[in-house]
Amino acid sequence: MELQAIGVQHPAVRQVQHIQNNTAPNRYKLFVAEGLWAHNMLLESGAPIDTFFWCPEAIYADEARKRAEEIAERAERSFRISPRTLEKISERDKPDGLLSLAALPRWEPRDLRFQRTALVLVADGVEIPGNLGTLIRSLDACAADCLVLTNRKTRLTHPKVIRASQGTILTVPTLEFETVEEACGWLASNRFTVLLADTDEAVNYRQADYGGRTALVVGSERYGIAKDWYGRGFQRVAVPMLGSGDSLNVSVSASVLLYEARARKSRW
Amino acid sequence: MELQAIGVQHPAVRQVQHIQNNTAPNRYKLFVAEGLWAHNMLLESGAPIDTFFWCPEAIYADEARKRAEEIAERAERSFRISPRTLEKISERDKPDGLLSLAALPRWEPRDLRFQRTALVLVADGVEIPGNLGTLIRSLDACAADCLVLTNRKTRLTHPKVIRASQGTILTVPTLEFETVEEACGWLASNRFTVLLADTDEAVNYRQADYGGRTALVVGSERYGIAKDWYGRGFQRVAVPMLGSGDSLNVSVSASVLLYEARARKSRW
């Protein structure tokens, strides 16, 4: 495979660094995919690949060479880079020669249609990228309809979000609303029953009603759900805390609630 | 408060570095506690404090000064260190002047007594410290009796285990067995029904039987449960995977199973 060779000063290499460090606008929601596993996921999902960087000296699996040709075929543009340049842009201990800029899919509220028993999760102010990615992985696993973000604190293109989602970020629809008001308006217009995950004045999550369309809201690791979500007549549901701690990890509590809702909707 | 001032060459400072980097034996299961939050947790739990390092120039909360005196009272030995020394041993961006070596509690199988509906989790080969800590936090939250470790890959004294456990590592009993054989012997002698979390040839976790004493087994992030656990007649239970991914994060799947068991045992 003959590709144009470029060095560290090339604008495409700089763009990778900007995306990794979040130091430039990223309107096309580009993210950095690295390694064989991530590239298999790109090929499977059909995600648009903007730029492919190939360093044949760094590969250590025959499969990588085969994939490289498929990726170069699919990418808008492809370059060859040296091991030294790869080292500059890789975030892995042992890079394997495949690195791409790819675009996350973009969903708009009007793209989504819901069945009678739809299930969505609202993540309000979640801060830790690994938690957000793990949440997306759980949404995929329980076949939830989408993730809604309000008071967003972490970008979906963060390498740790991509990694923790195990690639499911390419298939689970995500919507972001500027304000809680707008998110509530959209949920109401789609006839969702909203349940706030909160331990105060809450019903046990096993006793809550998951009939019809359900939107579960979880809050930030430090502050819980933003005030704006309260005073709107939404029921609060709690996963009982029976030990010395006063909360669960947010991706854990969301997943316990999501699977309860899924089980009840599916009559498992 | 007058404490002996020591520098970076002092053996106590070196000991902190050895524990952080796991470069020396650690038979007393010492771990590094840092910051106001962690020290409040040490004071509350009554954990033994071996060495306290105090850097008054670094504090930025009045509460820290008050706590420092309580900690010095409780610690076996206390030293004053300079901001420069603190920087060498701190793993935080903005250290707040409090750092201690404290000991994790040690439990032996004979220390534990179980009720008729006891619940334990076996973590077999879990590799990522954050996952292990999050598991311990969930065990505390659902009032499980203990964590059992087999094929241990990460040490409980790892800073990320401590952090993700949110301090619950000081109260949730943990037992480690050298072999799966020994763990199974101990579970059998305590009349536990063992359920393996596995998606192959498994029953839906909502249909499983959680009567009597239950031991749930979860496996490593990459390889699942070790072969040694199979062929012993244990039932397999699965959290259904309804999306494109083939697994959940291990602390998520364990928590969904643990709360299902807890809910069924408590008839929520």
Side-chain angles (χ1 to χ4, degrees):
Chain A
M1 189 166 54
E2 293 286 332
L3 300 176
Q4 181 194 344
I6 60 170
V8 284
Q9 298 303 324
H10 192 279
V13 173
R14 297 246 185 98
Q15 193 184 8
V16 170
Q17 292 168 317
H18 278 305
I19 283 163
Q20 277 163 340
N21 305 321
N22 205 22
T23 45
N26 184 4
R27 57 185 296 230
Y28 296 109
K29 291 175 81 176
L30 295 178
F31 69 97
V32 180
E34 208 182 325
L36 189 54
W37 175 85
H39 283 83
N40 282 339
M41 164 192 109
L42 287 178
L43 290 169
E44 271 169 42
S45 71
I49 303 174
D50 183 82
T51 314
F52 172 47
F53 301 89
W54 165 235
C55 177
E57 294 87 345
I59 70 160
Y60 45 86
D62 277 348
E63 196 192 339
R65 196 176 295 279
K66 216 173 74 192
R67 287 291 168 271
E69 301 198 3
E70 295 171 48
I71 298 155
E73 191 117 327
R74 275 267 307 284
E76 286 283 318
R77 52 183 187 165
S78 301
F79 299 112
R80 177 171 172 160
I81 56 173
S82 67
R84 203 180 120 255
T85 301
L86 178 62
E87 205 179 292
K88 287 256 186 218
I89 56 177
S90 171
E91 295 192 319
R92 291 169 39 141
D93 285 345
K94 212 182 152 203
D96 68 359
L98 305 175
L99 192 147
S100 290
L101 282 179
L104 288 185
R106 288 189 289 180
W107 286 274
E108 297 295 332
R110 63 175 173 277
D111 298 338
L112 299 175
R113 294 284 174 274
F114 299 104
Q115 308 242 302
R116 198 173 43 84
T117 59
L119 175 59
V120 311
L121 183 80
V122 181
D124 179 80
V126 169
E127 291 183 44
I128 300 175
N131 285 340
L132 195 57
T134 303
L135 274 178
I136 293 169
R137 184 176 176 188
S138 290
L139 285 166
D140 169 75
C142 75
D145 290 83
C146 76
L147 173 67
V148 173
L149 300 169
T150 55
N151 295 309
R152 187 174 60 77
K153 292 284 184 297
T154 187
R155 60 195 163 98
L156 290 174
T157 55
H158 194 295
K160 289 184 180 170
V161 175
I162 309 288
R163 187 78 212 157
S165 85
Q166 293 269 303
T168 58
I169 195 165
L170 294 174
T171 52
V172 173
T174 53
L175 295 179
E176 181 181 343
F177 290 96
E178 285 296 312
T179 66
V180 170
E181 188 66 37
E182 285 171 70
C184 289
W186 178 79
L187 289 167
S189 71
N190 282 288
R191 286 173 290 115
F192 276 92
T193 300
V194 178
L195 300 175
L196 307 180
D198 187 340
T199 47
D200 289 342
E201 300 171 47
V203 298
N204 183 315
Y205 76 112
R206 300 283 282 202
Q207 261 91 56
D209 182 356
Y210 300 96
R213 294 176 180 169
T214 306
L216 294 162
V217 185
V218 297
S220 96
E221 292 85 350
R222 284 188 289 178
Y223 310 113
I225 298 171
K227 240 174 33 206
D228 290 352
W229 282 97
Y230 292 89
R232 295 174 184 271
F234 299 147
Q235 190 174 43
R236 305 183 197 182
V237 293
V239 177
M241 293 291 121
L242 309 172
S244 62
D246 59 4
S247 65
L248 286 161
N249 170 283
V250 63
S251 53
V252 166
S253 58
S255 302
V256 170
L257 292 170
L258 282 166
Y259 264 98
E260 178 68 18
R262 173 56 66 218
R264 300 274 290 282
K265 287 171 185 288
S266 302
R267 299 173 197 282
W268 287 344
Chain B
M1 188 165 57
E2 293 285 332
L3 299 176
Q4 180 193 343
I6 60 170
V8 283
Q9 298 303 326
H10 192 278
V13 172
R14 297 247 185 97
Q15 192 184 11
V16 170
Q17 292 168 317
H18 277 307
I19 283 163
Q20 278 162 339
N21 304 323
N22 204 23
T23 45
N26 184 4
R27 57 188 293 233
Y28 296 109
K29 288 175 82 176
L30 295 179
F31 68 99
V32 180
E34 207 183 327
L36 188 54
W37 175 84
H39 282 82
N40 282 338
M41 165 192 111
L42 287 179
L43 290 169
E44 271 168 44
S45 71
I49 303 174
D50 182 82
T51 315
F52 172 46
F53 303 88
W54 165 234
C55 176
E57 294 88 344
I59 70 160
Y60 46 85
D62 278 349
E63 196 191 339
R65 196 177 295 279
K66 217 173 73 192
R67 286 293 168 273
E69 300 199 1
E70 294 171 48
I71 297 156
E73 191 117 327
R74 276 266 306 283
E76 286 284 319
R77 54 184 187 165
S78 300
F79 299 111
R80 179 172 170 158
I81 56 173
S82 68
R84 203 180 119 256
T85 301
L86 178 63
E87 206 179 291
K88 288 255 187 219
I89 57 176
S90 171
E91 295 194 320
R92 290 169 42 138
D93 285 343
K94 213 182 151 201
D96 69 358
L98 306 175
L99 194 147
S100 291
L101 282 179
L104 287 186
R106 288 190 287 181
W107 286 274
E108 298 295 333
R110 61 175 176 278
D111 298 339
L112 298 176
R113 292 284 174 277
F114 299 104
Q115 308 241 301
R116 196 174 43 84
T117 59
L119 175 60
V120 312
L121 183 80
V122 180
D124 178 80
V126 170
E127 291 183 43
I128 300 174
N131 284 341
L132 196 58
T134 302
L135 273 178
I136 293 169
R137 185 176 175 188
S138 289
L139 285 166
D140 169 75
C142 75
D145 290 83
C146 75
L147 173 67
V148 173
L149 299 170
T150 55
N151 294 310
R152 186 173 62 75
K153 293 282 185 300
T154 187
R155 60 194 164 98
L156 291 174
T157 55
H158 193 294
K160 289 184 180 171
V161 175
I162 309 289
R163 186 77 213 159
S165 86
Q166 293 269 301
T168 57
I169 195 164
L170 295 174
T171 52
V172 174
T174 53
L175 295 180
E176 182 180 342
F177 290 95
E178 285 297 312
T179 65
V180 169
E181 188 67 38
E182 286 171 69
C184 289
W186 178 78
L187 289 167
S189 70
N190 282 287
R191 286 174 289 116
F192 276 92
T193 300
V194 178
L195 300 175
L196 308 181
D198 187 341
T199 47
D200 288 342
E201 299 172 48
V203 299
N204 183 315
Y205 77 111
R206 300 283 281 201
Q207 260 91 57
D209 182 357
Y210 300 96
R213 295 176 180 169
T214 306
L216 294 162
V217 185
V218 296
S220 97
E221 292 85 349
R222 284 189 287 178
Y223 309 112
I225 298 171
K227 241 175 28 206
D228 291 352
W229 282 97
Y230 292 88
R232 296 174 183 271
F234 299 146
Q235 190 174 41
R236 306 183 197 183
V237 294
V239 178
M241 293 292 120
L242 309 172
S244 62
D246 59 3
S247 65
L248 286 161
N249 169 283
V250 63
S251 52
V252 166
S253 58
S255 301
V256 169
L257 292 170
L258 283 166
Y259 264 99
E260 179 68 18
R262 173 55 67 217
R264 300 274 290 282
K265 287 172 185 289
S266 303
R267 298 173 199 280
W268 287 343

